[in-house]
Amino acid sequence: MSVLVSTTYGQVEGTVEDGIAVFRGIPYAQAPVGPLRFRPPVAPEGWTGVRPALAYGAAAPQPRPDGAVGDIFSPGHPTGEDCLSVNVWTPDPGASGLPVLVWIHGGAFLFGSSADDLIERGAFARSGVVTVTINYRLGVDGYLFVEDDPDGGDYGTLDQIAALRWVRANISAFGGDPDRVTVAGESAGGTAVCALLAAPAAQGLFARAIAQSAYPDPLLSQESGRIIARELKERLAALAPDLDSVGEVRELHPEYVLQAVKELFEDVANRDAARYGPEIAAQMNPLMPVVGGAVLPERPLEVARDGRLADVDLLIGTNRDEFRIVFALGMMSVADELVDALFEATFPGRGAEALKVYAQDRPDASKVDLLAALETDRSYRVGSTRLADAHAAQRPGSTFCYRFTWPSTAFGGAIGAAHSVELPFVFDALGTPMAEALTGPDAPQRLADDIHRAWVAFIGTGDPNHAGLPEWPAYDGDTRPVLELSPDHRVVANPGGDELALWSDTAASGA
C-alpha cells in the first residue's frame, strides 16, 4: 500500500509496511559533486508530480573496513556521489505533534549509512516516534580541511545541519512536531551530536540530544587538519603524479582517494606523534570535525564550560568495555610487555600507579584488557564525562548518564560490553543478523525492552525514567550518578571514579 506526503520540494510516495509508513531516499540537498564538492550543501531542486521514495539513497562513498568490522558495519546497499538523503518512518503521517528522532550513523566519519537491519525494524516508529535517518559526506568529502575556506573540515557537519533544517521544515507533514526533535547518534554519530551542541548554525533545530559512545574531547584543530591535508596530498601524488590537488584526484580517480584514506587511517593507528602531532596520534582518527572555522568556532567542551551549549536536554553515556572490540577483532595488537610503557606515556611519572588503579577492580584482567580499559577511558568515557559535568552545571536537572555493562557472548565472549553492543538494545532489534553479530544469540529481550523504552521516554519528555527501571536521577558533576544498563540495572555514584581521577590533569585525547 502506498502513501503520499507533500514536502517543501514536492510530493513523495512511500509504502506502508506492517502498519508503519516508510519513505526512503528523500533528498535534502543536491549531489555534492563538481563545483559543489568541498562546499556547503545546496538545497535540492523541487520536482513536479510524485517522486517515489521507495528505495534507500546511496550511502556516501567509503572504503570497506577489513574483517569482521566490514562484515558488520559496511552498507548493505550501494554507495554513490548523490548521497545526501533522509529516510522517514512514521506511525501516522496524518497525526500531529509526535516526537521526532533524527539518527546520525557512526563509522569513524569514514564508513556507515542511514540504513541497516537494526533501523529497518522501525521500532521507534512502532513506539510512537517519527524516525529520520540521514546520510552525510564521509572521509575526505566530509572532513578534509581546506585552507582559506571558513567551512573547511566541516562539510559533513554542514550536511547534518542541512538535514536538521529539512526536518524542521518538513517533519510536520509526516506527523512529527518540529519543536520535539531529538538528535542522536553513536560513536562518530554521537561525536557529531556533541559537535552540533556547539555549532552556532544548529541552535534551535533540536530540543534534545543523545550521545552514545561519543569522543567529543578533542575534535581536531585546524593545525591537525593541515597535517592531514598535507599527508593526503603526498600520498595521492604518489598514486597520481600528474594531478596537482586532492580535488582533482577525487574527481578523476576516486578509488585512489579511498585507498589513500584507508591506508592513512591504518597508519594513524600506530600513534606516530612525531609525524602527526599528539592530537591525531591520541585520537587515532585523521578525518573528523575541525574546530576553529565558521561551523565550529570552538571545541564543544570549551563552549560547555562557558555555559553556552545548545539549551537542550542531554542523555549521554558509554559502554564499559568500548575498546576491547579493537583488540579482540585484531584491529590493533599490542604485546603485553609494551602495556607498562603505554601507561607511563599516558601518565608520565605515574604509569605504574595508574596500572595498579586499573587492575584493582579487574583482578583477572590480562595486560591487554587493562590497556583496553585505559583506551576506553581515553577515547570515550573521559570526554563524555567532562561534557556531562559541564552540561549538568549549565542546565541542572536535564542531564542523564548511563553506562552499558551487559557482556556480549559474540566472538566467544572476547569483546565484553564493547563498542556498539548497545545498539540492538536501543533499537529493540535483537535477533537481526547485525544484532546477533554484536550480541551473540539469546541476548536478553527484557534488557532491550527497558533500554528502548528509556530512549523513547527521553525523546518524548526529556526524562528516561519508566516503570521497568530503578529511579534514574538527573546527573550532577558532584556525585555523578550513572545508571548501569544491565539485566540488574542499578544506579552507581561515579563508577570507576578512581580511574577518572587519574585523568583530572590529563587531556583525554592528547590536546
Side-chain angles (χ1 to χ4, degrees), residues 121 424-425 428-431 442-452:
R121 275 283 182 94
F425 297 89
D428 192 16
L430 297 181
D442 303 318
Q445 180 59 48
R446 186 179 69 81
L447 181 58
D449 294 341
D450 289 346
I451 292 176
H452 178 72

Side-chain angles (χ1 to χ4, degrees), residues 372-431:
L374 174 80
E375 297 299 347
T376 290
D377 285 356
R378 185 202 309 274
S379 296
Y380 303 100
R381 188 161 70 115
V382 173
S384 293
T385 300
R386 289 173 177 172
L387 189 64
D389 287 347
H391 183 270
Q394 172 185 329
R395 209 170 185 270
S398 65
T399 312
F400 293 87
C401 288
Y402 73 88
R403 193 181 192 197
F404 180 85
T405 62
W406 179 80
S408 169
T409 61
F411 304 102
I415 64 174
H419 195 61
S420 302
V421 172
E422 91 286 1
L423 287 173
F425 297 89
V426 168
F427 283 93
D428 192 16
L430 297 181

Side-chain angles (χ1 to χ4, degrees), residues 252-338:
L252 297 174
H253 299 288
E255 71 280 6
Y256 290 175
V257 175
L258 293 182
Q259 176 185 337
V261 167
K262 186 176 181 181
E263 292 172 353
L264 177 62
F265 265 77
E266 292 169 351
D267 195 34
V268 163
N270 293 318
R271 285 188 162 156
D272 184 351
R275 181 171 187 172
Y276 295 109
E279 187 174 78
I280 297 169
Q283 188 64 276
M284 297 193 298
N285 192 334
L287 291 166
M288 58 187 298
V290 174
V291 173
V295 183
L296 286 172
E298 300 170 89
R299 299 181 187 278
L301 273 178
E302 293 170 351
V303 175
R305 287 168 176 160
D306 289 343
R308 294 180 286 110
L309 277 181
D311 187 26
V312 302
D313 305 320
L314 177 64
L315 174 60
I316 187 168
T318 60
N319 296 358
R320 184 188 61 202
D321 307 316
E322 299 273 9
F323 220 82
R324 275 179 63 177
I325 197 169
V326 173
F327 296 116
L329 300 191
M331 291 182 276
M332 184 184 296
S333 61
V334 176
D336 281 359
E337 57 268 23
L338 294 179

Side-chain angles (χ1 to χ4, degrees), residues 13-15 17 22-27 51-59 77-78 82 85-89 114-115 120 135:
E13 176 191 10
T15 60
E17 301 173 4
V22 186
F23 302 81
R24 298 179 173 93
I26 304 173
R51 181 186 181 108
L54 308 176
Y56 291 117
H77 57 282
D82 192 1
S85 64
V86 301
N87 313 300
V88 183
W89 288 258
S114 64
E120 183 73 15
N135 284 325

Side-chain angles (χ1 to χ4, degrees), residues 59-358:
Q62 57 193 271
R64 177 185 170 86
D66 295 330
V69 175
D71 295 339
I72 297 170
F73 295 108
S74 288
H77 57 282
T79 62
E81 301 279 14
D82 192 1
C83 60
L84 302 183
S85 64
V86 301
N87 313 300
V88 183
W89 288 258
T90 175
D92 183 2
S96 63
L98 296 176
V100 180
L101 167 66
V102 177
W103 180 257
I104 302 176
H105 71 78
F109 297 102
L110 180 64
F111 57 90
S113 83
S114 64
D116 56 46
D117 58 7
L118 305 183
I119 293 167
E120 183 73 15
R121 275 283 182 94
F124 280 101
R126 297 181 198 288
S127 298
V129 177
V130 179
T131 307
V132 182
T133 66
I134 71 172
N135 284 325
Y136 56 98
R137 281 174 280 183
L138 301 171
V140 165
D141 292 341
Y143 298 98
L144 177 70
F145 178 72
V146 178
E147 196 73 64
D148 300 323
D149 181 352
D151 301 315
D154 289 307
Y155 306 114
T157 304
L158 286 172
D159 292 344
Q160 294 154 10
I161 293 170
L164 286 167
R165 286 177 175 151
W166 183 93
V167 169
R168 181 83 183 165
N170 291 284
I171 206 62
S172 59
F174 296 85
D177 185 342
D179 293 321
R180 299 180 71 195
V181 172
T182 296
V183 62
E186 183 266 349
S187 191
T191 306
V193 169
C194 296
L196 291 168
L197 288 169
Q203 305 310 295
L205 295 178
F206 53 96
R208 299 184 179 98
I210 302 174
Q212 299 170 214
S213 301
Y215 38 99
D217 181 28
L219 303 179
L220 296 187
S221 65
Q222 290 190 339
E223 181 53 36
S224 290
R226 291 186 185 97
I227 291 169
I228 293 304
R230 288 197 298 268
E231 182 74 24
L232 276 170
K233 186 173 182 179
E234 291 173 6
R235 289 171 180 263
L236 290 172
L239 294 170
D242 55 322
L243 299 177
D244 293 330
S245 71
V246 174
E248 286 182 303
V249 181
R250 177 65 184 83
E251 289 292 339
L252 297 174
H253 299 288
E255 71 280 6
Y256 290 175
V257 175
L258 293 182
Q259 176 185 337
V261 167
K262 186 176 181 181
E263 292 172 353
L264 177 62
F265 265 77
E266 292 169 351
D267 195 34
V268 163
N270 293 318
R271 285 188 162 156
D272 184 351
R275 181 171 187 172
Y276 295 109
E279 187 174 78
I280 297 169
Q283 188 64 276
M284 297 193 298
N285 192 334
L287 291 166
M288 58 187 298
V290 174
V291 173
V295 183
L296 286 172
E298 300 170 89
R299 299 181 187 278
L301 273 178
E302 293 170 351
V303 175
R305 287 168 176 160
D306 289 343
R308 294 180 286 110
L309 277 181
D311 187 26
V312 302
D313 305 320
L314 177 64
L315 174 60
I316 187 168
T318 60
N319 296 358
R320 184 188 61 202
D321 307 316
E322 299 273 9
F323 220 82
R324 275 179 63 177
I325 197 169
V326 173
F327 296 116
L329 300 191
M331 291 182 276
M332 184 184 296
S333 61
V334 176
D336 281 359
E337 57 268 23
L338 294 179
V339 172
D340 292 37
L342 289 168
F343 268 82
E344 180 62 26
T346 302
F347 303 108
R350 300 181 293 144
E353 171 200 346
L355 186 60
K356 288 180 181 178
V357 170
Y358 273 87

